Every structure is written in C-alpha cells, then in structure tokens.
Amino acid sequence: MTATTVPTVLTARALLLDMDGTLVNSDAVVERCWRRWAERHALDADEVMKVVHGRQGYASMALLLPDRPMEQNHADNERMLAEETADLDGIIAVPGAPEFLASLRGLPHALVTSADVALSTARMTAAGLGLPDVRITAESVGASKPDPEGFLKGAAELGVAPADCIAFEDSAAGIAAGRAAGMRVVGVGPRAGVHQPDVLVRDLTEVRVETAGDGGIRLCVG
C-alpha cells in the first residue's frame, strides 16, 4: 500500500501511540547510546542505527550479534536502558504532540512503547507530555516489535477490536507491528515514509482529532 500525504479522514474506536519518534524526539539520545554500544562491539554505527529504532534493545542486539547468547543481550539491554534513562539531554516533544495528546482526553487511547516504565516515564516527562492512562511497555510483553503483541494488548486493554484501532508509528519495526496486528497505521516523520504506512504525516501538527457522533474518533490527517 502506498502512503498518502493528502488530506484524509479516518475513523476509529481507539488510537495506539508509539513514543520514541512519534510523540517524543529522542533521536539524539538514541544515537549517542547506540553509537557508543556499536563502538564497544566493533560494529559499524551507521548500520546499527538502521536496526535499533522501534525495537527493544535486546531484540536489536540479537539481530546485530546473532551468535551471542540471548541472556547476554538481556543483561546488556538492562545496562542500555539505565544509560538511556539517565540521559535526557535533547529530549523534546514532536511538534504538535502536546496538543494532540490534549485532544485525546476522554477518548480511548494507549501508549505502546518498546521502552520500559522508567524510560518511558522519564522521556515523556522530559518532553513535557502527560502519560496516557493505559500504557503497554517493555514489561508488558514477551516479544518486541515488529511482533504485534504490544498493539494487540493495547487494544485488548481498551476493549476495542484491533481493526477498529489506528496505530501511530515512526519506525519499520513499529509499522510492521501495527500492520501485523490488523490495524491501520499513521506514519509520523521522515523515517516512517520509507516503510509504507497507510497515511504519512510530517509531524503531529498535521493531525486533528474530533469526537465522532457515535462516540468514536474522527481523525483529519494532512
């Protein structure tokens, strides 16, 4: 499916929102931490950066170091999460994110992130964004994006069928996860554009939320 950037109206019963790259611009921190990691493991940092967005750290490490035991990836990921949580320099909201989240008050929505509770709380707070009441974090799932588990759990917690949800994502792994969950996907930012979301926006200033007459959500996109 080819993504569209022309004005589009979508309807849904719930929205499922990725965090990094979608609500929060954390690219500076991600680059710093993962490039240091790449250097420690004598890997090409540019190639590493092509893999890490959207996935939990251990899943990225498993792809990059396929011969390393998974328990080492999990232990390394714990160190990485602590490093990322402590580094909030440059964390800012994606343009339009505060207004977008404010427009969702009282409407069914959830955060679905590969970050854990500590990291997601730290980054949303640093960006000046409120946390949705329903949050699916790394601790909530057994499989990282691109597995659809997180999105499916988010839909289940909201009591909405996956086909009636729209996922907001920026990464290849996240877009694949939303699609595998049977959801339509709004891609946010330039990284999303090459992975064929259903609809593509530059940032969240291009999304307007309205309450539909039947209690659903009407999105004016573009």
Side-chain angles (χ1 to χ4, degrees):
M1 183 179 294
T2 301
T4 179
T5 56
V6 299
T8 303
V9 175
L10 302 172
T11 57
R13 308 297 303 184
L15 305 184
L16 301 179
L17 315 173
D18 174 52
M19 181 182 72
D20 291 302
T22 301
L23 297 172
V24 174
N25 183 341
S26 56
D27 282 359
V29 179
V30 173
E31 288 267 347
R32 283 196 295 272
C33 291
W34 279 99
R35 284 183 180 277
R36 284 195 297 266
W37 184 89
E39 186 176 356
R40 288 197 295 270
H41 295 280
L43 296 173
D44 184 316
D46 290 337
E47 294 303 312
V48 167
M49 294 313 303
K50 294 177 183 177
V51 170
V52 300
H53 291 291
R55 291 182 171 85
Q56 290 191 45
Y58 76 85
S60 296
M61 293 169 187
L63 289 173
L64 294 162
L65 298 173
D67 297 326
R68 189 166 77 159
M70 188 57 79
E71 58 267 24
Q72 289 186 30
N73 294 330
H74 281 285
D76 207 359
N77 186 45
E78 289 301 313
R79 291 188 289 271
M80 176 69 78
L81 284 169
E83 187 179 342
E84 288 186 289
T85 303
D87 184 355
L88 300 175
D89 187 26
I91 295 288
I92 57 173
V94 166
E99 297 81 3
F100 175 67
L101 286 172
S103 72
L104 292 179
R105 290 190 189 116
L107 297 174
H109 67 287
L111 188 71
V112 181
T113 176
S114 293
D116 64 4
V117 169
L119 181 58
S120 57
T121 302
R123 284 186 176 167
M124 291 286 282
T125 301
L129 301 175
L131 285 157
D133 291 337
V134 178
R135 300 185 288 275
I136 306 299
T137 62
E139 296 93 338
S140 310
V141 298
S144 169
K145 298 172 185 177
D147 191 282
E149 182 185 1
F151 281 122
L152 293 173
K153 282 200 169 183
E157 287 217 17
L158 294 170
V160 176
D164 292 328
C165 296
I166 294 175
F168 281 70
E169 271 287 359
D170 73 300
S171 68
I175 291 168
R179 187 166 287 126
M183 300 174 183
R184 290 156 292 161
V185 181
V186 174
V188 180
R191 189 160 49 230
V194 297
H195 302 297
Q196 297 187 314
D198 297 293
V199 177
L200 178 66
V201 296
R202 180 187 55 209
D203 56 41
L204 294 172
T205 65
E206 296 184 350
V207 182
R208 190 171 76 255
V209 178
E210 300 172 351
T211 302
D214 60 356
I217 299 170
R218 188 170 183 267
L219 291 178
C220 300
V221 181

